[in-house]
Amino acid sequence: MKKALPSRLARWGALLLATAAAGPISADQVIHLGALKSAAQYDTNPLMRSDGLGEGDIWLGLIQPMYRGYWFADERFKLQWDVELRLERSSDQDIVANREDPTLELFWSYRGKRHDFDSTIYSSALPARLVEFEESGILGTNGTRTQDKLRGEWRYAVDEITELRSMADVTRTTYDDIALVDYRTAQLRSEVEREWSDIQSVYGGARLLELDPLASTDLNLAPGGSTLPSSRMASAWGGVRRELSPLLEIDAMFGVAVSEREARDTDPIWQLRGRHERQRYEFSAALERSTEPSGVAGLLSGDTLSANFSYDLSPRASFAARASWRRNRKPNRNESLRFGLEHRYRVTPLWTLKSLWEYKQLQGFSDAEGMVTTITLEFSPG
């Protein structure tokens, strides 16, 4: 059953009240910002189905207001809170239901002479058909993925050329109206980076992660329909970042991940990224293999190739193209592909008009494809 909207709002409202009680806020220390996004979208296959049950041309209307507040205690301390509501209306609720999805993020940061600290409390509900296809290539349904997260990050400058970064977070992920696994993760991650020269730096890191299915999960994706066991993973890596020229930089990393699902498994992890930037255009590309938490049998391993290109046509107009391909390797094999073209035009300093055309394809669980056309009008003060 989908969780009632008032209960989620009540929980996030309590977090917002806790923000207000965090300290004495005076009027000259608070900044308020607001943004509004409205869109009309036409999707030929929103659920990426090929069985005829979820196919159909859908018109979607989207209104997404957002409020952001800042509190600056002094030049070192900053408190930020974001409240956002995503309202979606569908022309055919038998395929895509109307939705109201709120998001709340509370962010606190400290900036010292040699060390920085950030902490985040985050809670969000989003359509599973969007986030699962985007992050894992898994076939989406008309369900909801809710994530609650508590995260802390610490950065320390050991000396002028060496920085140490550590992060810890606990995340709870639940699904409504979709046959994926509710789970909770806890992870620790540390990385050290050292500059060898003005154009090159090397880094290395390690990560410990534990994934526990929630007790309420009724799993039907595990082999034989059995209960999904807890998963653990330890990984280590090393890499190098280098500027090949003032306009071109690359980042190459290689490591290994040792995971324990029902048996111990060792997989390589690697990443190759590049970015080329000139005055009017920017191009970036990435190829990586990773193992990450997922609602599909715990840990999901896969390869991802992505590329992004943007070009400033004028001071007010720009063009962008992006493409991504993902192949899941373990425990399921499937592939997903996305390709999009976007045009942005700044009507005024506060209003921006965007048009997006996108093609999407899925192979493995089913062979499905769709085309999406979106027109967006966005108000933003920054």
Side-chain angles (χ1 to χ4, degrees), residues 68-85:
R68 172 171 294 173
Y70 296 96
W71 169 46
F72 297 92
D74 53 39
E75 60 182 12
R76 297 175 301 165
F77 293 93
K78 182 181 77 172
L79 185 65
Q80 174 184 324
W81 54 95
D82 294 347
V83 180
E84 187 173 313
L85 183 61

Side-chain angles (χ1 to χ4, degrees), residues 305-358:
L305 172 64
S306 61
N308 295 275
F309 172 80
S310 62
Y311 181 78
D312 292 333
L313 301 170
S314 70
R316 300 176 66 177
S318 64
F319 167 83
R322 59 176 181 264
S324 64
W325 167 83
R326 179 179 175 86
R327 180 183 63 186
N328 289 332
R329 301 172 57 250
K330 298 177 183 179
N332 301 294
R333 290 185 175 271
N334 70 303
E335 296 183 9
S336 60
L337 172 69
R338 303 184 77 166
F339 176 76
L341 300 173
E342 182 184 82
H343 178 261
R344 299 169 59 99
Y345 180 74
R346 186 173 290 276
V347 183
T348 72
L350 298 178
W351 292 91
T352 302
L353 182 65
K354 296 189 294 184
S355 58
L356 170 67
W357 174 87
E358 184 181 52

Side-chain angles (χ1 to χ4, degrees), residues 86-305:
R86 186 181 187 277
L87 302 171
E88 187 177 77
R89 292 297 178 263
S90 169
S91 63
D92 190 342
Q93 295 192 53
D94 291 334
I95 299 177
V96 176
N98 293 338
R99 306 182 56 89
E100 301 86 20
D101 296 316
T103 295
L104 175 72
E105 183 172 9
L106 175 61
F107 176 80
W108 177 82
S109 66
Y110 169 81
R111 298 290 179 262
K113 292 183 178 180
R114 298 185 63 180
H115 60 91
D116 302 334
F117 180 77
D118 299 330
S119 63
T120 303
I121 301 174
Y122 172 86
S123 188
S124 178
L126 287 170
R129 73 176 193 275
L130 298 180
V131 288
E132 287 301 324
F133 188 80
E134 175 75 24
E135 297 179 9
S136 64
I138 300 302
L139 177 67
T141 66
N142 193 30
T144 301
R145 188 185 78 175
T146 302
Q147 279 195 333
D148 302 311
K149 180 180 295 187
L150 175 62
R151 173 173 176 155
E153 185 172 355
W154 174 68
R155 294 179 297 277
Y156 177 70
V158 180
D159 52 40
E160 293 183 351
I161 60 174
T162 307
E163 183 180 68
L164 176 65
R165 297 184 292 268
S166 295
M167 182 272 290
D169 77 36
V170 178
T171 304
R172 183 178 185 269
T173 303
T174 59
Y175 297 92
D176 297 312
D177 303 325
I178 180 172
L180 293 180
V181 185
D182 297 347
Y183 63 92
R184 179 175 50 248
T185 60
Q187 66 171 323
L188 295 172
R189 176 184 177 126
S190 292
E191 187 171 273
V192 60
E193 182 172 0
R194 184 175 179 85
E195 294 182 4
W196 282 106
S197 66
D198 292 339
I199 63 172
Q200 180 173 301
S201 62
V202 295
Y203 60 91
R207 178 190 189 191
L208 297 175
L209 182 143
E210 182 170 350
L211 183 150
D212 292 309
L214 299 181
S216 60
T217 297
D218 183 13
L219 179 64
N220 57 15
L221 296 179
S226 60
T227 301
L228 181 70
S230 297
S231 302
R232 295 173 178 84
M233 183 179 71
S235 55
W237 61 87
V240 58
R241 296 185 180 95
R242 182 178 177 85
E243 291 185 7
L244 300 181
S245 74
L247 303 176
L248 178 64
E249 64 179 28
I250 61 169
D251 184 341
M253 177 273 285
F254 181 81
V256 62
V258 180
S259 56
E260 185 175 343
R261 300 176 176 96
E262 293 184 332
R264 180 163 295 184
D265 198 5
T266 301
D267 290 298
I269 54 174
W270 42 264
Q271 171 185 284
L272 179 61
R273 296 178 179 267
R275 184 172 66 90
H276 179 62
E277 184 177 3
R278 297 186 68 90
Q279 184 176 1
R280 297 185 65 180
Y281 74 83
E282 179 178 343
F283 174 77
S284 63
L287 176 64
E288 60 182 317
R289 172 170 292 180
S290 60
T291 299
E292 296 294 334
S294 172
V296 183
L299 296 173
L300 184 66
S301 299
D303 302 328
T304 304
L305 172 64

